[in-house]
Amino acid sequence: MRDAARLMHTKRIKQLPVIDVVTGRVIGTLHQRDVLRVFTRPSGELEADIRALLPEPGPFTVEIDAGMVKIGGQVRWRSQAIALVEAVRNVEGVVDVVGDLAAEDDDLIVVPPLM
């Protein structure tokens, strides 16, 4: 359901067909308002859960709009930025996350392309 909500939000789709996996027939429709209603939580409650995930120290910004979260700030390692975005994405009520996080150092290994 979360993937459907993200798809509907990013692609601005109002409804999706629901298909019976056995028959392949359309058995209903999933409307955007119904899907997004499931993820509606008070912004203050959502922000408190997100801030609990943030590493100390450092000021982070958290902007929430209809389940869409934008998080900004600085972390020590690039892998921390990736992990933080994924952790926020898994918070109940979050539809999607935009990570605007800067990393002091890159700790990810880049594998060169094969020739």
Side-chain angles (χ1 to χ4, degrees), residues 8 29 39 108:
M8 294 173 93
T29 57
F39 294 102
L108 300 179

Side-chain angles (χ1 to χ4, degrees), residues 28-98:
T29 57
L30 183 63
H31 294 269
Q32 185 182 43
R33 69 180 175 276
D34 298 326
V35 173
L36 294 179
R37 188 177 316 145
V38 172
F39 294 102
T40 303
R41 284 181 64 195
S43 292
E45 188 179 305
L46 195 54
E47 185 173 349
D49 287 353
I50 292 167
R51 289 208 178 269
L53 299 171
L54 300 177
E56 295 290 333
F60 289 90
T61 60
V62 177
E63 299 173 22
I64 302 169
D65 181 30
M68 298 299 293
V69 177
K70 182 177 180 182
I71 184 168
Q74 186 164 350
V75 292
R76 174 79 171 106
W77 301 103
R78 185 168 170 219
S79 61
Q80 288 176 312
I82 293 168
L84 182 57
V85 168
E86 283 305 309
V88 171
R89 184 173 278 124
N90 290 324
V91 171
E92 185 176 328
V94 172
V95 175
D96 206 359
V97 180
V98 174

Side-chain angles (χ1 to χ4, degrees), residues 100-114:
D100 190 17
L101 298 164
E104 293 175 23
D105 292 311
D106 191 351
D107 61 337
L108 300 179
I109 297 173
V110 178
V111 178
L114 298 174

